[in-house]
Amino acid sequence: MRGESLFSMERLVGCRLCRRSRWRTLRSRWLAASLTCTVLVIYICFLDLLHSSMHFPVLWETSSPPRQVTVLIWYEPFGKRRRIADCHSLFNITGCQLTTNRSLYQEADAILFHHRDIIDFFDFPLIGRPTSQKWIWMNFESPAHSPWLNSLGGVFNWTMSYRVDSDIFMPYGYLFSRMLPKIILPHKRKLVAWVISNWNEDHERVQYYNQLREYVDIDIYGRYGMDLKEDNIVKTVSEYKFYLAFENSLHTDYVTEKLWRNAFKSSAVPIVMGPSRYNYELFIPRNSFIHVDDFSSPRKLAAYLKFLDKHTHLYRRHFLWKKRYDVHVTSFWDEHYCMACETVKAAGNQHRTVSDLATWFES
Ligand SMILES: *[C@@H]1O[C@H](CO)[C@@H](O)[C@H](O)[C@H]1NC(C)=O
Ligand SMILES: *[C@@H]1O[C@H](CO)[C@@H](O)[C@H](O)[C@H]1NC(C)=O
Ligand SMILES: *[C@@H]1O[C@H](CO)[C@@H](O)[C@H](O)[C@H]1NC(C)=O
């Protein structure tokens, strides 16, 4: 028997309805028959109630104190061992036990599976999957860098990713409210920066860069360019007016730390290449960034950048958002684990299976 509170609710409502129909049938001529029927119905309802109180205790437990939740981290992301977070001291979230100890499998309320570490099914817990346990698929890579998706339908209960429509939505960053009387920008002597470690001539972003640099100087940092100042991206990029926040592949909601940390934290105007402008505007104000699609060619974009370089008051308009918002950059992986735990704590007992992972994630 599965502990589904929804099912028992339906049965209780059903009972109330059948009680009403009982009075109607009493008035009919088929007294004997209906009496038998009523007795039967009451009997069934009674059994049902008994049944639900035995197997579906959740309905009557709403006022009990919040319980402790155990979340088992099946793979440490990218095979790297880390100290496990204390959700209470970090985020004021109580009642979370995070563990990587697989012996706790049977008692875990949820298991987190980091997609990129899935090698094959035989590494999954194969037997005795508790029916109320939630298997959470966790992934922050884009579909282009997420192999295997097709073979993972029907395995997981929840998804956790950068996509807004995930069961647990965890963006790479976000803006939060904060009022400031005056915007102070770091001193900027240089024009355009780009930090890149994964250089691939086939990537759209490299092809765009190759055209753009014909018209405007771009400083390249990372494995193929200059060294970062004290290994610090924000410190380095803060000296620039613009930053190329080009994603490695273009997908729905796929907006990474290239925007939140590299550009916004450095107070450099992001020039974005990723999902559509419309998609970006779900997350950030329309004037806070420049989209490559705003211009019909790299040459025209370059002309606009040079124009803003000369007109400081227009350049500064791209920072109007700073009067009302500050940037939060999500910290891997503490925040993710604690958010998962908090969601498990808050969730009911509904059952759900992610049947077509690939179709959803690649859409
Ligand atoms: C921590 O959470 C508790 C209960 O939700 C709340 O009363 C308290 O103010 C929070 N403390 C901080 C420092 O946010
Ligand atoms: C894992 O949990 C089991 C069962 O509670 C315990 O006996 C074992 O010592 C734990 N292992 C580690 C490495 O903590
Ligand atoms: C999780 O998914 C499995 C596989 O489809 C399913 O049997 C189980 O009932 C689901 N559990 C929950 C809590 O959703």
Side-chain angles (χ1 to χ4, degrees), residues 214-340:
E214 302 267 321
Y215 309 102
V216 64
D217 286 336
I218 300 168
D219 287 348
I220 301 287
Y221 290 89
R223 204 188 298 170
Y224 302 91
M226 296 179 276
D227 289 335
L228 293 165
K229 231 182 184 178
E230 297 166 33
D231 269 351
N232 188 327
I233 291 185
V234 171
K235 206 169 204 141
T236 307
V237 178
S238 291
E239 296 181 348
Y240 289 84
K241 289 192 172 169
F242 302 99
Y243 182 79
L244 301 188
F246 288 2
E247 300 301 346
N248 63 25
S249 48
L250 320 184
H251 301 278
T252 312
D253 299 339
Y254 187 59
V255 177
T256 68
E257 80 291 339
K258 296 171 179 64
L259 174 93
W260 303 108
R261 183 194 60 200
N262 301 12
F264 275 174
K265 276 278 178 200
S266 314
S267 297
V269 175
I271 298 162
V272 305
M273 174 185 284
S276 65
R277 167 171 271 282
Y278 176 79
N279 198 168
Y280 275 95
E281 287 181 13
L282 291 179
F283 308 114
I284 53 178
R286 57 181 318 184
N287 203 27
S288 64
F289 66 102
I290 296 168
H291 200 295
V292 292
D293 293 350
D294 296 342
F295 298 89
S296 54
S297 69
R299 185 174 62 81
K300 289 197 170 143
L301 169 60
Y304 181 63
L305 301 182
K306 287 176 171 167
F307 171 80
L308 287 182
D309 188 29
K310 293 210 187 72
H311 298 86
T312 307
H313 64 291
L314 291 178
Y315 171 75
R316 289 182 61 93
R317 288 183 64 84
H318 286 288
F319 292 102
L320 282 178
W321 62 272
K322 276 178 168 275
K323 277 197 168 176
R324 295 174 47 202
Y325 300 105
D326 200 356
V327 185
H328 174 81
V329 180
T330 309
S331 71
F332 285 84
W333 291 85
D334 294 346
E335 221 172 320
H336 301 68
Y337 298 157
C338 295
M339 174 71 97

Side-chain angles (χ1 to χ4, degrees), residues 2 4 129-135 154-158 349-354:
R2 287 175 187 167
E4 290 200 36
R129 177 173 178 175
T131 50
S132 63
Q133 188 176 70
K134 280 137 186 134
W135 285 22
V155 174
F156 300 101
N157 302 105
W158 289 359
N349 262 14
Q350 294 91 337
H351 282 237
R352 168 174 151 68
T353 299
V354 184

Side-chain angles (χ1 to χ4, degrees), residues 105-171:
Y105 165 58
Q106 284 289 335
E107 64 191 73
D109 298 275
I111 307 190
L112 278 178
F113 295 91
H114 182 241
H115 178 75
R116 282 295 288 266
D117 294 293
I118 297 172
I119 303 158
D120 65 47
F121 288 119
F122 297 107
D123 202 21
F124 280 13
L126 287 176
I127 44 160
R129 177 173 178 175
T131 50
S132 63
Q133 188 176 70
K134 280 137 186 134
W135 285 22
I136 306 173
W137 178 81
M138 178 172 78
N139 186 24
F140 294 91
E141 305 299 314
S142 77
H145 297 92
S146 304
W148 282 92
L149 288 174
N150 271 321
S151 47
L152 292 173
V155 174
F156 300 101
N157 302 105
W158 289 359
T159 56
M160 177 176 187
S161 81
Y162 59 81
R163 276 187 68 124
V164 174
D165 56 1
S166 306
D167 297 295
I168 307 176
F169 167 48
M170 276 300 288

Side-chain angles (χ1 to χ4, degrees), residues 88 91-94 342:
H88 186 215
F91 306 109
N92 197 24
I93 300 172
T94 52
E342 195 175 31

